[in-house]
Amino acid sequence: MQTSRRSGHEQISSKRLRNACHDGDRDACRRSPADAKIECRGNFQVTKYGLISTPYCEEEQIARVARSYGVNVTGAEVRNNALTKVYLCQVYGYDTRLKGSCAGYAPELYGR
C-alpha cells in the first residue's frame, strides 16, 4: 500500500494556512490558487510586466462585444467552440472593438 507524502514546501504552506485560519484570517482560509483570476483590458491580459495580448482575453472581448448586441454567450463558449467564434466575428466583426480579436474572420474579408 502506497502512502502519499507531501513535500516539505506543501507541508509548510498548509501549516501556514491552518495557522492563518485559526488566527482569525478567514479570507486566507477561502483563498486558493484556483481563485486567481485572469484580468483583461480589452484584448490584453494584465500582468506584473504590463499588458500582454493573449487569445484568452481576445475571446473574452469577442463574448463581451457580442453580449453588448444582445447575444447570450460566454467567453468559455467562444474558447471551446471555434464555430461560435467564427460566427460572432463574421456577424459583429465590423465593430471596431473586434478588429484585433477577429482579424482573420472579419466580414470585409468575405465580401459581405
Side-chain angles (χ1 to χ4, degrees):
M1 178 182 216
Q2 291 182 343
T3 59
S4 64
R5 302 180 91 191
R6 289 185 176 180
S7 68
H9 177 71
E10 289 176 9
Q11 288 175 345
I12 291 170
S13 296
S14 48
K15 190 174 189 179
R16 283 184 188 161
L17 183 60
R18 266 196 317 274
N19 288 341
C21 291
H22 290 304
D23 292 342
D25 187 1
R26 294 291 173 211
D27 287 335
C29 299
R30 293 184 193 116
R31 275 186 244 128
S32 72
D35 291 336
K37 187 171 182 184
I38 295 174
E39 181 186 346
C40 296
R41 285 195 195 143
N43 292 333
F44 301 96
Q45 180 176 337
V46 179
T47 69
K48 64 181 179 179
Y49 303 109
L51 299 176
I52 299 173
S53 178
T54 61
Y56 176 88
C57 290
E58 289 177 354
E59 289 158 349
E60 285 294 320
Q61 178 74 356
I62 293 169
R64 191 176 309 117
V65 171
R67 283 193 300 270
S68 76
Y69 286 101
V71 178
N72 187 16
V73 67
T74 65
E77 288 177 272
V78 175
R79 276 189 299 284
N80 296 325
N81 188 342
L83 292 178
T84 299
K85 180 178 181 176
V86 171
Y87 174 77
L88 293 173
C89 284
Q90 288 179 347
V91 173
Y92 303 110
Y94 62 86
D95 190 306
T96 56
R97 296 174 288 176
L98 294 179
K99 289 300 178 190
S101 305
C102 293
Y105 308 110
E108 58 266 11
L109 296 177
Y110 297 99
R112 189 169 190 209

